[in-house]
Amino acid sequence: DAMVIQNPRYQVTQFGKPVTLSCSQTLNHNVMYWYQQKSSQAPKLLFHYYDKDFNNEADTPDNFQSRRPNTSFCFLDIRSPGLGDAAMYLCATSRDIGQPQHFGDGTRLSIL
Amino acid sequence: QKEVEQDPGPLSVPEGAIVSLNCTYSNSAFQYFMWYRQYSRKGPELLMYTYSSGNKEDGRFTAQVDKSSKYISLFIRDSQPSDSATYLCAMKKGNTGNQFYFGTGTSLTVIP
């Protein structure tokens, strides 16, 4: 059974048109993460939530925002996607800070 | 210099071969080491999680850490076509903090 679920699996949007990616978890983990992964590159951490506390990585563009309305759900909002934002976006969870992460299958975002 | 270096491959081996996947790192503060397997169009799946130096075995998989050489390895015995995937190493400095450092992954194909 899938424990970290990302929707949609594939998303196409237009240049500059806001888009929201969704992640849900059944693990009841405290920490949820968003990563960006481009082809043949390591996943790059964008931000994470520890419970309701939001932690932004220093080099995450302002264009990227996140919401976590409850323990189970977390959203990634890209306000004005540029061509360089085309990538796989991975959601991950961990039981607590510093614990190994469990990943979803990702959303592949294409920008037209 | 990147914090974590990993040969991207691709690596092709015949079924039944022993596979050795490796990562080197530059920061001696890394203490926790992980290996993830990522199938095409899927998220990374945690395979092994080890602390400090030594070996850890799980079925056909053995993770090895040599902190003195700043070198970690994943060995796969009796490799199967289902092992064909990209393998990512990851590491972190301490038990607290959420900064995981990923390698770029090694693409492995096991040929029947």
Side-chain angles (χ1 to χ4, degrees):
Chain A
D1 292 335
M3 295 178 287
V4 182
I5 303 160
Q6 292 189 245
N7 284 304
R9 292 295 314 280
Y10 301 91
Q11 176 74 56
V12 180
T13 192
Q14 292 177 334
F15 182 93
K17 185 174 181 181
V19 66
T20 295
L21 309 183
S22 168
C23 178
S24 64
Q25 57 134 340
T26 60
L27 298 164
N28 203 34
H29 282 175
N30 288 319
V31 194
M32 294 187 78
Y33 310 79
W34 281 103
Y35 285 87
Q36 180 191 66
Q37 187 180 26
K38 296 189 176 181
S39 182
S40 302
Q41 294 186 20
K44 178 180 179 297
L45 182 64
L46 297 173
F47 25 59
H48 74 271
Y49 273 94
Y50 178 72
D51 196 12
K52 295 181 180 178
D53 293 333
F54 177 71
N55 296 271
N56 199 32
E57 293 301 301
D59 57 353
T60 299
D62 292 340
N63 202 21
F64 291 82
Q65 304 284 320
S66 186
R67 296 169 283 136
R68 188 179 185 187
N70 53 54
T71 301
S72 300
F73 285 87
C74 197
F75 300 98
L76 169 62
D77 302 308
I78 308 176
R79 291 190 297 186
S80 182
L83 296 178
D85 297 327
M88 173 80 89
Y89 289 87
L90 293 164
C91 174
T93 72
S94 64
R95 185 178 303 280
D96 209 335
I97 298 286
Q99 295 297 303
Q101 296 168 359
H102 300 265
F103 285 85
D105 283 337
T107 294
R108 184 167 294 280
L109 179 66
S110 300
I111 313 294
L112 299 179
Chain B
Q1 184 186 9
K2 288 182 184 176
E3 299 256 21
V4 180
E5 299 276 1
Q6 187 174 9
D7 186 339
L11 181 62
S12 291
V13 300
E15 184 175 354
I18 297 174
V19 176
S20 172
L21 303 166
N22 310 296
C23 286
T24 59
Y25 60 95
S26 55
N27 194 329
S28 58
F30 288 133
Q31 295 184 58
Y32 294 85
F33 304 92
M34 288 138 279
W35 284 96
Y36 286 86
R37 177 175 62 197
Q38 187 173 21
Y39 290 115
S40 180
R41 299 185 182 86
K42 293 283 194 175
E45 171 194 3
L46 182 66
L47 280 179
M48 303 288 277
Y49 179 64
T50 56
Y51 170 69
S52 196
S53 284
N55 292 358
K56 182 176 181 179
E57 189 173 318
D58 184 1
R60 296 185 296 111
F61 298 89
T62 299
Q64 190 173 81
V65 175
D66 183 349
K67 291 190 72 180
S68 61
S69 302
K70 299 191 183 69
Y71 190 88
I72 68 170
S73 299
L74 178 71
F75 297 98
I76 307 174
R77 290 186 299 281
D78 187 25
S79 56
Q80 302 295 309
S82 59
D83 296 327
S84 299
T86 295
Y87 290 80
L88 295 148
C89 65
M91 47 198 79
K92 64 189 297 288
K93 293 175 184 175
N95 202 25
T96 58
N98 272 316
Q99 187 65 36
F100 288 78
Y101 295 81
F102 283 86
T104 54
T106 299
S107 175
L108 171 68
T109 301
V110 180
I111 302 166

